Amino acid sequence: MDKPVADGIGPDFIRVGTLAELKAKGGMLVVPGERCPLLVVHDDGHVFALDNRCPHLGFPLHRGSVKDNVLTCHWHHARFDIASGCAFDLWADDVPTAPVVVRDDGEIWVAPRTRHVGGDDHWRNRLRAGLEQNIGLVIAKSVLGLAAEGVRAGAMVREATLFGVRNRDNGWGAGLTILTALANLLPSLPAEESYLALYKGIRHVAEECDGQAPRRDREPLGGARPPIVRLRRWLRHWTAVRHRDGAERTLLTAIAAGAAPDELADMMLTAATDRYFADGGHALDFINKAFECLDVAGWEHAAEILPAVVGQMVAARGGEEANAWRNPVDLIPLCEGAFAELPNLLAHGAAKYGSWRDHAALAQTLLGDDPAGIIAALKHALAGGAAATDLSRSLAYAAALRIARFGISNEFSDWDTAHHVFTYCNALHRLLSRIAAARPERPPDPDLLRGIFHGAMRLYLIRFLNVPPARIPDASDGALAALPADADGLLSALLAALDRQGEVREAARIAARYALLRHPIDRLIATLARAVLREDADFHTYQTLEAGVRQYREWEEGDNEPGRHILIAVARYIAAHSPTQRSELQTAIVARRLSRGESLDGGGGEAPEEQEGRP
């Protein structure tokens, strides 16, 4: 029968039958659609069409019931308005609907393609709802829906970040750090892992804000804007006396005055490093992540995002308040003496500034047992023309070596002790690099160098983690020859090793062999990311992965030993924290299958067992 193009019936419409036939079938009929089966319903004198799959978990809606224009799914009892498809139970999501035309002769025609009543805004609204109610499945489906509409990842990161800073007065925390770390990794990830990264990052923000008091906004100072040098002094003062309101208003004033990102980084790095290794390294790491988040979300949001880290910064406890920094060797006077020498050291190295290249050698020295010798090595490098970023790069490599050589006879919690130094050093290097990029010909302010000495002393304090040191696999390791030689075989072996508990040595050997054979490193990085994203990973594992990738990128591609050591460190840390229950992966798999139109009911309303792997 020819398809009429009249009465609102398009050329692609599908003939369902007659109104009498629909009533004879109990008011429900399922017909094929373009992407999914369509449910045609007659109720209260009207005909409606909608996706036959329950948007919650895909149960066939024709097996539900209709009363008073309310369709109830009999699997989890989600209820929907059949006219709009909108859910009364927000955890279930809305059902997309299709236009229906009932001709005067009783023939029913439906459009083959369904659409949400909210159009393109539907998934944005659902993402907000998922964040507000902390519903993982809603978040996962929203990420997939937005991606299908062509919404860029940065827009999703921005939405989640602004939700996070507005809905948690305690400020920046693990959730926003995880989100930013995963956003930084997106360029290194294939599509499926990118989906997992966005879902998991956003979900962690929702969990962290759940039940929290919303942020109390503060305003910049009124009147004429003080010069940036005064605002810098004020921020240091308010941080020192732990006055959050004063510190936030000072920072907001600098932002309102148009301070550049490097000036803001200078202000905050200086204030944070007035204390030694503040808050176990977290204070500096959170500051750096807030800056990196703005690179993704957009600097027009600086006044909302940067103040979120001030609370932790002003409340942080410094290493100078801890006994370990004072006994048996008092490290504070050693550092303070070095700080007094910094102006002269920088002046002495000015003629050779930027020519220093002994990064790997300095890293080995920083792993020594003599704190005075470590400080002397840093001073010698500065006098030899080393830039701040040269020192922080060496320091971050040394911190990675602590993980690469971490003795597994230590307590399990000591992995985090090593991790904190590494992520602190990565954050310090990133902030110093940001400042240096804006001032390439200018040596740093001496105050900006203090964090390097703090990190070096903390690295010294955890030297016991490498007693005895684990052996880093290299070309002389005979066990490597027993491993596959091809890239696919090695990457499969790595994932298989991470399916088993305690395979720290094996994971290190596989990563080492892969790098030594000069296979494409980006594939190894993507596999390490996949290994983390399939787990119910903790905050520190995400941090270690992202910091490791960042620091690997600081070294040349190819057969470079430092870069290889950094990736071995990452592989060891991930192996120590794998496998987990992988419940979060199950949610991601369900959302992916629903987005593809696949059935989850197994034919009898029960969800089948899922295999672990790529969603």
Side-chain angles (χ1 to χ4, degrees):
M1 178 177 182
D2 294 335
K3 295 182 180 180
V5 185
D7 301 322
I9 300 174
D12 59 344
F13 271 46
I14 301 166
R15 184 181 183 277
V16 173
T18 66
L19 186 58
E21 291 169 344
L22 179 59
K23 290 179 180 179
K25 293 181 180 292
M28 283 191 183
L29 187 65
V30 178
V31 297
E34 183 178 282
R35 291 188 64 252
C36 58
L38 301 177
L39 173 62
V40 183
V41 179
H42 176 265
D43 187 58
D44 194 27
H46 298 279
V47 179
F48 311 93
L50 57 162
D51 190 328
N52 191 41
R53 300 167 302 167
C54 177
H56 179 219
L57 288 176
F59 191 78
L61 287 175
H62 75 273
R63 294 167 64 179
S65 58
V66 178
K67 182 179 181 181
D68 193 23
N69 274 199
V70 175
L71 170 61
T72 300
C73 175
H74 288 183
W75 194 357
H76 295 92
H77 304 286
R79 292 153 294 187
F80 309 91
D81 167 29
I82 57 173
S84 66
C86 294
F88 293 99
D89 303 286
L90 296 181
W91 44 265
D93 204 352
D94 298 342
V95 185
T97 60
V100 178
V101 174
V102 181
R103 289 176 37 158
D104 292 341
D105 60 4
E107 282 195 349
I108 302 169
W109 295 76
V110 299
R113 178 178 297 180
T114 58
R115 193 165 188 263
H116 286 100
V117 71
D120 293 343
D121 289 334
H122 169 78
W123 290 117
R124 291 179 178 86
N125 294 332
R126 292 304 292 156
L127 179 60
R128 294 187 193 105
L131 282 161
E132 290 166 357
Q133 298 169 64
N134 187 21
I135 304 176
L137 187 58
V138 172
I139 291 171
K141 289 191 286 187
S142 299
V143 168
L144 289 166
L146 287 167
E149 290 180 5
V151 176
R152 298 181 65 176
M156 294 185 243
V157 172
R158 177 172 60 250
E159 185 76 31
T161 299
L162 294 176
F163 177 88
V165 297
R166 292 167 180 167
N167 290 279
R168 187 173 185 268
D169 198 49
N170 285 338
W172 194 278
L176 286 169
T177 299
I178 292 170
L179 174 65
T180 306
L182 291 175
N184 288 339
L185 287 171
L186 288 175
S188 301
L189 303 181
E192 292 295 345
E193 276 68 41
S194 294
Y195 154 56
L196 283 176
L198 285 167
Y199 157 61
K200 290 203 168 189
I202 295 170
R203 179 64 193 278
H204 278 285
V205 173
E207 288 177 341
E208 192 163 66
C209 292
D210 194 15
Q212 295 291 308
R215 174 174 171 76
R216 179 168 63 87
D217 289 332
R218 294 156 181 85
E219 299 294 330
L221 301 174
R225 304 299 188 196
I228 193 71
V229 291
R230 181 175 299 154
L231 292 170
R232 188 175 186 261
R233 291 198 303 270
W234 284 355
L235 186 62
R236 294 180 73 175
H237 172 72
W238 299 132
T239 301
V241 298
R242 304 185 192 279
H243 185 18
R244 176 181 173 182
D245 287 342
E248 284 202 27
R249 295 202 73 182
T250 298
L251 179 60
L252 285 167
T253 303
I255 295 169
D262 65 291
E263 293 176 312
L264 295 170
D266 185 315
M267 285 178 63
M268 299 186 76
L269 176 56
T270 302
T273 52
D274 278 341
R275 296 192 178 104
Y276 283 60
F277 201 69
D279 196 21
H282 282 128
L284 199 63
D285 187 60
F286 286 178
I287 290 169
N288 175 60
K289 280 293 173 282
F291 276 86
E292 292 179 343
C293 184
L294 282 168
D295 292 336
V296 178
W299 274 88
E300 65 272 22
H301 301 291
E304 286 196 84
I305 293 174
L306 282 185
V309 301
V310 170
Q312 290 92 333
M313 184 175 76
V314 300
R317 185 184 180 195
E320 69 276 11
E321 303 173 72
N323 181 67
W325 287 73
R326 298 286 188 175
N327 291 290
V329 178
D330 194 338
L331 302 177
I332 309 306
L334 281 175
C335 289
E336 295 297 325
F339 300 159
E341 297 180 54
L342 289 177
N344 289 335
L345 292 168
L346 289 169
H348 190 275
K352 296 176 283 185
Y353 184 71
S355 62
W356 186 87
R357 294 290 182 270
D358 294 332
H359 300 87
L362 177 60
Q364 295 297 333
T365 303
L366 293 175
L367 294 169
D369 295 333
D370 176 16
I374 292 169
I375 288 176
L378 291 171
K379 293 194 298 183
H380 180 74
L382 285 170
T389 52
D390 290 323
L391 301 187
S392 57
R393 178 180 168 190
S394 293
L395 180 62
Y397 173 38
L401 288 172
R402 283 277 187 245
I403 300 175
R405 297 173 180 170
F406 181 91
I408 58 175
S409 59
N410 290 297
E411 287 192 64
F412 183 75
S413 61
D414 280 330
W415 280 103
D416 291 342
T417 304
H419 146 85
H420 284 132
V421 181
F422 179 48
T423 52
Y424 168 92
C425 295
N426 172 66
L428 178 64
H429 181 67
R430 299 295 302 167
L431 285 168
L432 289 172
S433 297
R434 182 183 297 274
I435 296 167
R439 315 167 187 178
E441 305 301 325
R442 175 177 151 193
D445 185 294
D447 286 338
L448 294 175
L449 295 169
R450 295 173 305 166
I452 295 169
F453 289 81
H454 299 167
M457 290 299 94
R458 183 58 185 162
L459 190 68
Y460 157 77
L461 285 171
I462 65 168
R463 63 197 183 283
F464 65 90
L465 297 178
N466 297 149
V467 179
R471 185 175 183 275
I472 298 178
D474 57 27
S476 66
D477 189 337
L480 299 188
L483 295 170
D486 63 297
D488 289 341
L490 285 167
L491 297 178
S492 296
L494 178 59
L495 289 173
L498 298 177
D499 277 331
R500 305 185 295 270
Q501 191 172 24
E503 293 285 359
V504 174
R505 291 190 183 93
E506 185 69 3
R509 289 183 180 124
I510 295 169
R513 182 160 173 79
Y514 187 96
L516 286 166
L517 290 172
R518 302 191 186 186
H519 291 308
I521 291 297
D522 282 348
R523 291 194 62 197
L524 175 59
I525 289 171
T527 301
L528 291 170
R530 181 185 175 194
V532 171
L533 290 166
R534 70 179 180 174
E535 304 294 346
D536 298 337
D538 64 7
F539 168 39
H540 294 151
T541 305
Y542 290 111
Q543 283 183 297
T544 297
L545 170 65
E546 187 260 347
V549 173
R550 287 283 199 182
Q551 289 307 310
Y552 171 80
R553 301 292 188 201
E554 293 292 324
W555 301 87
E556 294 180 359
E557 298 282 348
D559 185 24
N560 75 84
E561 187 173 79
R564 183 169 71 251
H565 290 169
I566 291 168
L567 293 181
I568 289 171
V570 172
R572 295 186 85 238
Y573 191 94
I574 293 171
H577 294 79
S578 298
T580 62
Q581 189 175 351
R582 301 180 183 174
S583 60
E584 294 174 0
L585 181 64
Q586 174 70 9
T587 299
I589 290 172
V590 168
R592 171 57 84 187
R593 292 188 62 185
L594 287 170
S595 75
R596 292 171 174 164
E598 299 174 10
S599 173
L600 298 181
D601 69 300
E606 298 297 329
E609 293 296 323
E610 301 289 351
Q611 295 182 350
E612 294 174 352
R614 190 184 303 271

